């Protein structure tokens, strides 16, 4: 942000793309105290205003951000992300690079034909976003800011290509009928074929001219040259068939690609755009961007939650499947968290908003999915290198085939020229280029629908190669909620009386073990007594007077120092600790009255999950915990874990992961994403579990299990391996068909329309094969 005068502030505003957006910012932010003469130029992406103080400038920035935009120093580079509806093939990527690459102010760009996403880093002063959009429009490429909806045009704008394709189909059919009845050289047949070429070929020719003006050789240029060449050698029927089949294949390919794109876009449309807010006792429907933290919204039966919040009134079951992947609705009551995108059941809920629209869990997920789509998978490096060599090599080969046999060996020019045209048609590596990204996008979308968020193609590939897994114990393999297992009197004190004394001593504590005792007492109908002279004994336990008698409760050390431990007590301690339980001793000043055993139970599906992981070929499974060795060993034996590591500090966990990586190369670390972040970073793949409410986990992990279900991990591994298989199959299909038709074209066994079938058929097969991932169970 740059100050031109002491009171004038000029800055860049990101995400602004229409006059209505600018008017909205001017209306809302222009009312702020200390802000005057606010002007927004959406074409240049600039905001200017007079501010009375730095505080007013900060308030202006916060308000603009709450509306979904952000302010930056106008002199800094900006990253603009555009969606290009016509971006479907690698050749269009090359065209975009040629069109924008020479513009002053451009620093870098990255285009993804599968997601139709163009990311541009540019200087907004020298290269405004409007100029980028206008430059793309010259090549008939329609660009809008990513996330915005394009304003639809008229009938011909929206359906002209489809009408042209259908018209070509009718005219080609008519031409073939006339060709059969009147003969190959019939004027009426040629007229029908020529009309098919004109009607069906104008969208192709228009794009070809735009590409040629910028020195790009894309599929439209190659097809146009092939059709003109067919007319040159009097093959009108072949030229018309090429136009029709190419138009049909492109239409089918776009429809198929849209299925993969829509699988991800559906996630981005989960949350409604308006909220029902309670203001001054009335329900007011307002855009979600205008709802502030702390306001109360009302969810009626069947409503989708527009924002994250906390229930303050009402009870209902919410379907959180879009966020966590949980198959069953989750009961919500006052104090429970509600996620944007969740679907309310039969009850009505009043929810206090805890996050702005741009900061919800769903918004974070969408942002991470967008980043994941843009990230390049390792397999794409080979494909990009191959594509850069393949097309020029085939073009050179086509030129040599057209010229050398007639010149050197006196062969018929028309015959070898036709073979060269066939090579031109298969010169575009479109199927190969989309073979990896369309599979990656399908895999990411399938994972997200199941509550498994994967941070990009690289991690999707890495998960399938894991050879070892390390689990944190508490909250990952176990429920993370200690529960009382045994209440064992050692004298004549009844168990209920023992539990009452324990609950009374722990009534003031917030410690998890104390909460476990209080919950168990409440379930048993035991009410704590009042205590006096309460004293906490650091590192040992507590003591207090109940009904005039002193009691103490704590660990082994407390009673050993008091000389109250006996062989009977030691025997019970050893037995329970060997079972993986934490034992609390309760006594008075003279005797041990009894023991209470507490354990954090393993998750119900933890053992089954470990078994599934082994069946998937995971060679080594270990557990890392700060808990004692007895507990760690007992849980590891119960779950079938190879090697428990106990009493570890966070730094020790990192060292343990490094040792695993040295032995097994590809290692995953499964934890909560917060305390285990250093260990996750040291692993090949960091996996966070139950992370729907944790911003830290969403940012630090490579794979995020949004729900609290350990069984999603084997699914994630199967999804990764299925994606890798699909990628290999796609590459084999794309390269195999190209190789076959190269071999058929040179000796003259392939025709133009067969080449179109092969080229576009390969793309359709690759897309259809990738879409199978969306149905993975």
């Amino acid at each position: 942000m740059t100050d031109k005068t002491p009171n004038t502030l000029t800055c860049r505003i990101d995400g602004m793309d229409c006059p209505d957006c600018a008017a909205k910012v001017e209306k809302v932010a222009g009312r702020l105290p200390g802000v005057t003469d606010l002007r927004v130029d959406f074409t240049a992406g600039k905001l200017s205003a007079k501010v009375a103080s730095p505080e007013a400038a900060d308030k202006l920035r916060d308000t603009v951000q709450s509306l979904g935009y952000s302010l930056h120093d106008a002199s800094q580079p900006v990253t603009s992300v555009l969606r290009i509806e016509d971006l479907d093939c690698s050749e269009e990527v090359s065209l975009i690079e040629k069109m924008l690459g020479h513009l002053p102010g451009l620093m870098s760009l990255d285009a993804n034909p599968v997601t139709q996403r163009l990311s541009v880093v540019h200087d907004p002063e020298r290269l405004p976003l409007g100029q980028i959009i206008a430059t793309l429009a010259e090549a008939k490429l329609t660009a809008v800011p990513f996330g915005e909806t394009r304003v639809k045009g008229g009938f011909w704008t929206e359906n002209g290509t489809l009408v042209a394709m259908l018209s070509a189909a009718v005219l080609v059919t008519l031409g073939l009928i006339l060709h059969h009845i009147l003969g190959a050289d019939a004027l009426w047949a040629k007229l029908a074929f020529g009309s098919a070429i004109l009607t069906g070929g104008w969208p192709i020719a228009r794009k070809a001219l735009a590409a040629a003006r910028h020195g790009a050789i894309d599929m439209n240029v190659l097809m146009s040259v092939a059709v003109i060449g067919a007319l040159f050698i009097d093959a009108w029927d072949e030229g018309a068939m090429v136009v029709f089949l190419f138009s049909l294949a492109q239409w089918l390919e776009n429809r198929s690609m849209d299925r993969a794109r829509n699988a991800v876009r559906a996630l981005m449309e989960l949350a409604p755009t308006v909220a029902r807010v309670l203001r001054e006792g009335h329900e007011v429907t307002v855009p979600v961007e205008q709802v502030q933290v702390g306001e109360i919204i009302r969810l009626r039966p069947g409503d989708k939650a527009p924002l994250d919040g906390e229930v303050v009134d009402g009870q209902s079951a919410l379907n959180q499947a879009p966020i966590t992947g949980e198959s069953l609705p989750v009961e919500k009551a006052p104090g429970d968290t509600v996620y944007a995108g969740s679907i309310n059941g039969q009850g009505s809920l009043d929810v206090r908003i805890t996050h702005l629209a741009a900061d919800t869990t769903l918004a974070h997920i969408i942002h991470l999915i967008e980043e994941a789509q843009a990230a390049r998978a390792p397999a794409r490096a080979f494909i990009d290198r191959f594509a850069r060599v393949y097309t020029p090599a085939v073009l050179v080969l086509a030129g040599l085939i057209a010229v050398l046999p007639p010149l050197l060996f006196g062969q018929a020019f028309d015959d070898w020229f036709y073979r060269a045209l066939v090579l031109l048609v298969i010169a575009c590596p479109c199927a190969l280029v989309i073979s990896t990204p369309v599979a990656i996008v399908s895999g990411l979308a399938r994972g997200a629908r199941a509550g498994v968020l994967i941070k990009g193609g690289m991690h999707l590939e890495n998960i399938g190669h894991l050879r070892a897994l390390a689990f944190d114990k508490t909250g990952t393999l176990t429920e993370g909620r200690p529960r009382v297992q045994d209440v064992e009197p050692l004298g004549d004190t009844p168990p209920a009386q023992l539990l009452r004394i324990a609950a009374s001593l722990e009534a003031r504590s917030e410690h998890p073990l104390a909460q476990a005792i209080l919950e168990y007492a409440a379930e048993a109908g035991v009410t704590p007594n009042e205590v006096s002279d309460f004293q906490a004994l650091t590192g040992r336990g507590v003591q207090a007077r109940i009904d005039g008698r002193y009691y103490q409760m704590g660990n082994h050390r407390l009673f050993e120092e008091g000389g109250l431990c006996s062989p009977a007590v030691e025997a019970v301690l050893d037995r329970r600790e060997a079972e993986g339980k934490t034992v609390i001793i309760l006594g008075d000043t003279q005797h041990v009255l009894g023991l209470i055993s507490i354990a954090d139970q393993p998750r119900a599906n933890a053992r089954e999950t470990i078994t599934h992981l082994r069946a998937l070929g995971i060679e080594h499974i270990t557990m890392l915990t700060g808990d004692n060795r007895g507990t760690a060993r007992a849980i590891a034996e119960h779950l079938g874990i190879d090697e428990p590591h106990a009493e570890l500090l966070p730094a020790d966990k990192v060292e343990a992961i490094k040792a695993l990586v040295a032995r097994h190369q590809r290692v995953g670390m499964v934890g909560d994403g917060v305390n285990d972040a250093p260990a996750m970073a040291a692993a090949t793949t960091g996996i966070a579990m139950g992370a729907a409410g944790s911003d830290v986990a969403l940012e630090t992990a490579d794979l995020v299990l949004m729900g609290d279900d350990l069984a999603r991990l084997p699914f994630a591994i199967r999804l990764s391996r299925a994606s890798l298989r699909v990628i290999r199959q796609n590459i084999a299909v794309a390269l195999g068909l190209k190789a076959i038709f190269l071999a058929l074209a040179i000796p003259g066994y392939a025709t133009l329309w067969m080449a179109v079938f092969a080229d576009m058929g390969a793309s359709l097969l690759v897309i259809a094969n990738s879409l199978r991932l969306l149905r993975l169970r």
Side-chain angles (χ1 to χ4, degrees), residues 289-549:
E289 294 84 5
Q290 296 180 16
V291 182
Q292 301 298 313
V293 171
E295 288 197 285
I296 307 295
I297 66 169
R298 177 159 294 168
L299 296 181
R300 294 176 180 171
D303 281 355
K304 282 185 179 181
L307 298 159
D308 286 1
E310 179 182 297
V311 178
V312 295
D313 186 40
Q315 289 188 331
S316 185
L318 264 69
N319 180 359
Q320 297 183 157
I323 308 299
T324 65
E326 294 168 285
S327 57
L328 297 176
V330 179
E331 291 291 335
K332 298 291 183 180
D336 291 336
T337 300
V338 172
Y339 300 117
S342 300
I343 303 169
N344 189 23
Q346 297 301 313
S348 177
L349 295 175
D350 287 351
V351 180
R352 178 184 292 111
I353 298 307
T354 56
H355 294 81
L356 296 173
D359 196 36
T360 64
T361 298
L362 180 61
H364 282 292
I365 292 172
I366 291 169
H367 173 67
L368 292 171
I369 289 176
E370 289 173 349
E371 288 187 338
Q373 288 178 312
R376 288 174 174 261
R380 283 191 64 185
F382 157 74
I383 291 170
D384 289 344
R385 287 196 302 270
F386 182 88
R388 280 196 294 268
V389 174
Y390 172 79
T391 300
V394 175
L395 291 177
V396 170
L397 179 62
L400 294 176
I401 284 177
V403 174
L404 292 183
L407 285 180
L408 299 181
F409 306 107
Q411 300 286 319
F413 175 76
D414 285 3
D415 183 28
W416 287 95
F417 184 71
Y418 181 84
R419 299 180 193 187
L421 294 179
V422 174
L423 284 177
L424 286 181
V425 172
I426 60 174
C428 179
C430 201
L432 180 64
V433 170
I434 66 172
S435 61
T436 296
V438 74
I440 293 295
V441 168
S442 297
L444 295 176
R446 178 64 189 97
R449 277 185 359 205
V452 178
L453 181 60
I454 304 169
K455 300 281 196 70
M458 179 179 71
H459 302 301
L460 182 62
E461 291 190 20
N462 285 341
I463 296 159
H465 294 305
L466 291 178
R467 298 172 59 190
L469 280 170
F471 288 87
D472 176 49
K473 179 182 76 69
T474 305
T476 303
L477 292 172
T478 64
E479 295 176 353
R481 185 180 177 186
R483 297 176 186 273
V484 172
Q485 305 297 313
D486 309 286
V487 178
E488 301 177 84
L490 290 184
D492 56 2
T493 306
Q497 178 63 15
L498 200 68
L499 186 58
R500 187 183 304 277
I501 295 169
S504 302
L505 291 172
E506 297 286 23
R508 303 182 184 183
S509 176
E510 296 295 330
H511 192 280
L513 297 182
Q515 294 301 307
I517 291 173
L518 292 171
E519 286 180 12
Y520 188 79
E523 291 170 1
V526 173
T527 305
N529 292 336
E530 290 292 326
V531 301
S532 59
D533 299 334
F534 178 86
Q535 185 178 1
L537 307 173
T538 305
R540 295 172 179 82
V542 296
Q543 68 179 22
R545 191 189 297 273
I546 303 174
D547 296 331
R549 182 179 176 185

Side-chain angles (χ1 to χ4, degrees), residues 706-757:
M706 299 300 295
D708 214 23
D709 184 5
L710 200 59
R712 303 284 171 179
L713 183 54
F715 167 76
I717 294 174
R718 288 194 301 108
L719 176 63
S720 170
R721 293 178 180 176
S723 300
L724 290 171
R725 281 197 304 273
V726 167
I727 289 171
R728 287 193 290 267
Q729 291 164 0
N730 288 350
I731 292 173
V733 167
L735 289 178
L737 281 175
K738 294 290 185 186
I740 290 170
F741 271 83
L742 276 173
L744 291 175
I746 294 174
Y749 295 122
T751 63
L752 277 174
W753 63 269
M754 288 171 59
V756 174
F757 261 131

